[in-house]
Amino acid sequence: MNSHTTFLVFGPAATLRRMSDKMFKEYAPKFIYEHSKEGDKDKLFVAVYEEYEKQINSSVTLTCIFENTQDHNKIVLKKTGGRMGFRGSSLSEERNVESNVIDFIIDFGKRFGLTVQEEQISDVPKEDKEDE
């Protein structure tokens, strides 16, 4: 089972550049860091979303690493925190920040004719796979 979700988005450079601005306006993160090299059009954003779930008295954090290049966007989502297990894990029926961000990525891609691919990466090391 993966502990993170990775999306690759392909399309025209101008539309790809607009995607990060639109996402961070629509779903404002609690913290955001932007990095770009001088003279380079590639940008890297690290955004941290945090939401408190009152029903289960826990905080859920979503870290979004958004890599914007001329030919694609790579978006890595890593969710941490919260409570797992029998008590309270099924109480939250409201939409959480992770599903909102994923829906935005897919919806933006459909509206502007971009190719959105979810990258399937296994967390099991290659050595363990060969033993099976």
Side-chain angles (χ1 to χ4, degrees), residues 5 11 24 36 41 43 54-55 58 61 63 67 90 95 108 113 116 119-120 125 130:
T5 308
F24 297 138
S36 61
K41 293 184 179 182
K43 289 187 177 183
K54 192 172 185 178
Q55 288 178 327
S58 69
T61 304
T63 303
E67 180 184 330
S90 62
R95 297 196 44 80
F108 190 91
V116 179
E119 207 173 41
Q120 300 293 328
E130 292 171 0

Side-chain angles (χ1 to χ4, degrees), residues 13-120:
T15 308
L16 292 174
R17 226 176 292 117
R18 241 184 8 236
M19 184 178 188
S20 60
D21 294 336
K22 182 84 171 154
M23 186 171 98
F24 297 138
K25 274 185 189 162
E26 193 166 322
Y27 297 104
K30 187 164 185 164
F31 302 102
I32 188 165
Y33 171 78
E34 180 181 343
H35 176 75
S36 61
K37 293 181 182 175
E38 196 172 314
D40 195 9
K41 293 184 179 182
D42 297 350
K43 289 187 177 183
L44 178 71
F45 300 92
V46 178
V48 178
Y49 296 91
E50 184 180 33
E51 76 180 351
Y52 178 72
E53 294 183 11
K54 192 172 185 178
Q55 288 178 327
I56 59 174
N57 192 25
S58 69
S59 179
V60 176
T61 304
L62 178 71
T63 303
C64 174
I65 302 170
F66 197 112
E67 180 184 330
N68 174 250
T69 64
Q70 292 288 56
D71 58 340
H72 73 278
N73 284 343
K74 182 176 181 180
I75 306 161
V76 180
L77 303 172
K78 171 73 173 159
K79 185 177 175 182
T80 57
R83 263 195 207 161
M84 302 301 285
F86 183 75
R87 293 186 315 154
S89 63
S90 62
L91 286 177
S92 180
E93 299 209 5
E94 296 177 11
R95 297 196 44 80
N96 61 13
V97 69
E98 182 181 29
S99 60
N100 287 340
V101 169
I102 290 172
D103 286 348
F104 174 84
I105 294 166
I106 294 168
D107 184 53
F108 190 91
K110 284 181 183 176
R111 268 193 279 142
F112 292 100
L114 304 175
T115 302
V116 179
Q117 296 177 347
E118 184 173 353
E119 207 173 41
Q120 300 293 328

